[in-house]
Amino acid sequence: MNIILFDGECHFCDATVQFIMKRDHKKHFKFASIQSDIGQTLMEKFHVPKSIDSVIYIEGDNCYFKSTAVLRISRKLDRGWKGFYLFTIIPTPIRDLIYDKIAKNRHKLIKNNQCSIPKKDDLDRFLQ
């Protein structure tokens, strides 16, 4: 199973989930907020540090963070988004510097202060 853990209190993260869902017509991904019970359980299972400020991507028995998580997610998206996986040729520390810069400013990047309500057809993609 492919699970994306996201910050349920972050509007940028909500927008990211919506972005992924619109480009994942095969429904590869399930979603859970980090703050949810299932999110906390998965973080413990995969020994994710509480201090991590990152999207967390669980693919099978592996767990990925920061830019690696984003790029691994991109390879399962529709159309040209798969091509972003090529950025894995850039060393992880450099990619993560860019990721950290965006993460640090994510609350400023989205002015909308309302999270989306999932469509009825998408409710099964959110883990409770």
Side-chain angles (χ1 to χ4, degrees):
M1 184 178 295
N2 304 305
I3 301 171
I4 297 172
L5 299 179
F6 63 96
D7 182 348
E9 298 171 351
C10 168
H11 303 296
F12 183 82
C13 301
D14 174 65
T16 301
V17 168
Q18 299 306 314
F19 177 91
I20 293 168
M21 288 176 57
K22 287 178 185 172
R23 289 151 185 86
D24 178 27
H25 289 104
K26 293 184 181 177
K27 298 187 175 186
H28 292 289
F29 304 108
K30 299 277 188 184
F31 303 90
S33 77
I34 291 170
Q35 294 83 2
S36 68
D37 290 340
I38 188 81
Q40 289 295 301
T41 299
L42 289 167
M43 287 181 66
E44 285 178 28
K45 177 180 177 181
F46 287 93
H47 309 288
V48 177
K50 298 260 186 213
S51 62
I52 192 96
D53 189 18
S54 171
V55 64
I56 300 162
Y57 176 47
I58 299 168
E59 186 177 44
D61 292 331
N62 298 303
C63 186
Y64 303 96
F65 311 103
K66 298 188 178 193
S67 65
T68 302
V70 171
L71 294 174
R72 291 190 72 86
I73 291 166
S74 75
R75 71 189 179 123
K76 293 189 182 282
L77 297 179
D78 302 334
R79 300 191 196 150
W81 295 103
K82 295 175 189 308
F84 278 88
Y85 190 68
L86 294 173
F87 285 105
T88 57
I89 64 171
I90 298 170
T92 303
I94 294 170
R95 292 191 330 251
D96 283 349
L97 277 173
I98 296 166
Y99 182 96
D100 289 340
K101 183 78 168 169
I102 293 168
K104 181 179 178 184
N105 294 294
R106 71 183 186 264
H107 296 289
K108 297 174 192 172
L109 294 172
I110 297 288
K111 300 297 180 202
N112 181 3
N113 63 357
Q114 296 179 341
C115 290
S116 302
I117 298 173
K119 296 177 190 169
K120 190 176 182 180
D121 294 346
D122 291 324
L123 287 175
D124 63 330
R125 299 181 75 183
F126 288 87
L127 303 174
Q128 301 289 326

